[in-house]
Amino acid sequence: MRTVVAAIDQGTTSTRCMLFNAAAEVVARAQREHRQHLPRQGWVEHDAREIWANTEAVCGEALEQAGLRAGDVAAIGITNQRETTVVWDRATGEPVAPAIVWQDTRTQAICDELARGDNDRYRDRTGLPLATYFAGPKIRWILDNVQPSGDLAFGTVDSWLLWKLTGRHATDATNASRTMLMDLDTLQWAPEIADEMGVPMSMLPEIRSSSEVYGDVRDGPLAGVAVAGILGDQQAATFGQACLSPGEAKNTYGTGNFLLLNTGATKVLSENGLLTTVCYALPDQDPVYALEGSIAVTGSLVQWLRDNLGLIRDASEVEALARTVDDNGGAYFVPAFSGLFAPYWRPDARGAIVGLTRFVNRGHLARAALEATAFQTREVVDAMNADSGVALTELKVDGGMVGNELLMQFQADVLGVPVIRPVIAETTALGAAYAAGLAVAFWSSTDQISTNWAAERTWQPAMDATDRDARYSTWKKAVTKTFDWVE
Ligand code: ADP
């Protein structure tokens, strides 16, 4: 009897393996962090070999924890940090360069060159503005600067792991939609764009649906088990949050924040700085699209308070520090560490703390850092309301920061709509498990996802509208102070 589905959740800072039973309960969970290499200003790298080694290790550890064997696992789903780019040699199976992480800004010159003065040149086809965030220009950078030889393959991390696990070179449409190389209508590579970017088509993986058997694991702890689901992490969280109908949205609070609104079969092209992306693609069904607001720095600002300022020893301490004061004391913290993503897309911006007076202390800074997450989310929600023409009435939330109750209350206050945390907070891993479980009939239909979803806690907005508007407009003024910093 195969009693569980395994989810491999390969994130920006760590790799997890979680086992879920048929009731979508967590049966085991193992996690390992990997190193963040920051060799120069603006560069962020991972070692794809370390990520692969951690993946094998956490899969073994999760099985051991549950006292299960590969034969008990019905299928494996992969979910991953998106856009992070791996290029490897098919003959040796080794990466030819460090993986370039989504946060890395080294491709700015390539993006400027491709833009020819119009950052939206590829938006109609790919749903994306030209920005360092996406994978295509990262491939080009590796080809230009490492000049690797051999039989080269490109993959986002899902594709790298699938290849290591099964030997198949494929990806799913959600991950492919983040490369800037995929046509959003056909869900196929766009050869003209690949050509302009200088990316050989021979390097690209096959684009498949998000839920099908891609292959069986060749060896290691999960040998013989089918890999049957792939979703980019934010799309997986959307799936796991049961946002399965048009108009439903979730916001994930992790390293960055990612708000996705399901727009159904309609590909809505944003006029307000959002991305258009594939939400999920199930076999024999029309693809489902989403509008996405991506914010680069939210939880990582809390890490920065911890690691770079030493204000706290653990991320969870930020709430107590923020509660030592009643408000932000007039300080606003705009964490434009790698420019600003949605809705501004300003690579020239850099971080700023403004409104400082002698009154401001560490408690105010902690509060300003948390408020930055909520204000940035408000800006994305405003953009989404404008693009979709329908105002959001509630927000489902998940991710590492949603344990912070001060932040969740402030978020409801700043948005003026209820914020809802589900019982199963591990929505990313769960979404990948669902995609895999559906492909092998471990779960019979997506209706089961909706049935299993339940709210754990809801925060109601409590701030009066005048106060809210005053703070929000001060935030917007603070944002303008970060522009035009990098020449
Ligand atoms: P990811 O999947 O992007 O690696 P997670 O969802 O695991 O991220 O969330 C981790 C992030 O959440 C970290 O950046 C951390 O600083 C932040 N975080 C964790 N706990 C708290 C907390 N109690 N308050 C604020 N931020 C927190």
Side-chain angles (χ1 to χ4, degrees):
M1 250 298 263
R2 295 183 183 263
T3 53
V4 296
V5 170
I8 296 170
D9 177 1
Q10 202 305 298
T12 307
T13 53
S14 72
T15 307
R16 280 175 262 231
C17 177
M18 300 183 59
L19 304 178
F20 293 92
N21 65 18
E25 293 159 343
V26 179
V27 174
R29 150 196 351 234
Q31 179 167 3
R32 287 194 184 206
E33 291 201 4
H34 56 270
R35 276 176 299 242
Q36 307 291 316
H37 299 279
L38 311 166
R40 292 194 206 180
Q41 234 191 76
W43 290 29
V44 187
E45 299 178 343
H46 291 161
D47 181 349
R49 290 166 304 187
E50 183 186 7
I51 285 177
W52 165 239
N54 285 359
T55 301
E56 286 218 291
V58 293
C59 289
E61 286 160 17
L63 282 179
E64 201 178 302
Q65 231 183 66
L68 297 174
R69 290 170 306 127
D72 300 309
V73 180
I76 301 163
I78 299 175
T79 179
N80 55 294
Q81 53 169 326
R82 305 170 303 170
E83 301 97 11
T84 296
T85 298
V86 188
V87 175
W88 68 92
D89 181 339
R90 286 182 229 259
T92 63
E94 293 291 317
V96 299
I100 304 183
V101 177
W102 58 274
Q103 299 148 323
D104 190 297
T105 57
R106 78 182 69 178
T107 54
Q108 189 61 54
I110 296 174
C111 291
D112 291 342
E113 181 195 315
L114 287 165
R116 299 183 198 152
D118 175 12
N119 278 333
D120 283 332
R121 269 189 69 213
Y122 299 130
R123 192 186 277 275
D124 281 0
R125 271 196 96 183
T126 67
L128 311 173
L130 263 160
T132 58
Y133 186 19
F134 307 109
K138 297 182 199 284
I139 308 175
R140 163 83 179 274
W141 190 95
I142 292 174
L143 296 178
D144 284 353
N145 292 276
V146 182
Q147 304 198 332
S149 55
D151 184 6
L152 301 177
F154 151 77
T156 39
V157 176
D158 57 304
S159 199
W160 164 246
L161 293 180
L162 179 70
W163 190 79
K164 286 302 238 186
L165 287 164
T166 68
R168 176 143 183 219
H169 189 209
T171 187
D172 91 303
T174 67
N175 277 292
S177 74
R178 316 297 294 191
T179 59
M180 252 202 152
L181 295 167
M182 191 190 82
D183 185 306
L184 268 186
D185 289 314
T186 61
L187 305 194
Q188 293 302 319
W189 300 118
E192 304 78 15
I193 300 180
D195 187 50
E196 283 189 26
M197 252 179 232
V199 174
M201 295 289 290
S202 61
M203 287 177 69
L204 301 178
E206 184 186 352
I207 303 174
R208 304 295 313 175
S209 80
S210 312
S211 174
E212 63 178 63
V213 174
Y214 311 98
D216 293 342
V217 177
R218 292 182 296 192
D219 46 34
L222 287 168
V225 183
V227 181
I230 300 179
L231 284 163
D233 54 8
Q234 300 310 323
Q235 284 88 344
T238 311
F239 206 59
Q241 283 270 32
C243 296
L244 303 172
S245 306
E248 293 187 312
K250 69 85 207 179
N251 196 21
T252 299
Y253 298 69
T255 308
N257 262 36
F258 300 88
L259 204 159
L260 271 75
L261 172 76
N262 180 323
T263 61
T266 320
K267 181 188 95 171
V268 178
L269 288 181
S270 177
E271 290 174 2
N272 294 283
L274 303 176
L275 310 177
T276 308
T277 203
V278 177
C279 192
Y280 50 87
L282 301 180
D284 309 319
Q285 291 181 24
D286 287 337
V288 171
Y289 295 97
L291 270 172
E292 171 174 326
S294 331
I295 305 169
V297 177
T298 58
S300 55
L301 179 57
V302 174
Q303 289 171 317
W304 187 85
L305 295 181
R306 182 193 66 193
D307 302 338
N308 296 41
L309 296 192
L311 270 190
I312 45 176
R313 275 166 306 159
D314 187 88
S316 62
E317 291 175 15
V318 73
E319 182 167 357
L321 182 56
R323 282 191 193 279
T324 60
V325 291
D326 293 330
D327 56 28
N328 63 18
Y332 286 78
F333 195 154
V334 186
F337 292 164
S338 42
L340 286 167
F341 282 15
Y344 296 101
W345 300 100
R346 293 288 297 247
D348 57 307
R350 283 300 176 271
I353 307 174
V354 298
L356 294 181
T357 59
R358 280 195 68 180
F359 175 69
V360 170
N361 64 32
R362 50 214 296 278
H364 297 120
L365 289 185
R367 199 173 265 264
L370 293 176
E371 290 186 355
T373 295
F375 284 128
Q376 292 186 97
T377 299
R378 165 75 192 268
E379 293 191 293
V380 164
V381 168
D382 284 359
M384 220 153 246
N385 290 345
D387 273 338
S388 67
V390 193
L392 198 75
T393 54
E394 58 175 43
L395 187 64
K396 291 177 173 178
V397 300
D398 53 58
M401 292 184 94
V402 303
N404 191 313
E405 303 197 354
L406 183 132
L407 171 62
M408 292 298 103
Q409 182 58 53
F410 191 74
Q411 184 69 85
D413 288 344
V414 161
L415 289 176
V417 302
V419 165
I420 306 169
R421 189 169 70 189
V423 173
I424 304 174
E426 300 289 356
T427 53
T428 306
L430 181 60
Y434 278 138
L438 285 166
V440 297
F442 185 78
W443 287 295
S444 56
S445 86
T446 51
D447 293 345
Q448 270 175 291
I449 304 180
S450 307
T451 314
N452 289 342
W453 190 92
E456 181 251 339
R457 176 141 182 216
T458 301
W459 286 268
Q460 296 292 345
M463 189 181 283
D464 80 65
T466 321
D467 191 12
R468 172 167 68 228
D469 294 349
R471 294 185 200 215
Y472 185 47
S473 68
T474 313
W475 162 264
K476 282 188 160 293
K477 186 159 79 177
V479 171
T480 64
K481 307 290 178 197
T482 69
F483 294 162
D484 292 319
W485 189 257
V486 179
E487 300 289 328

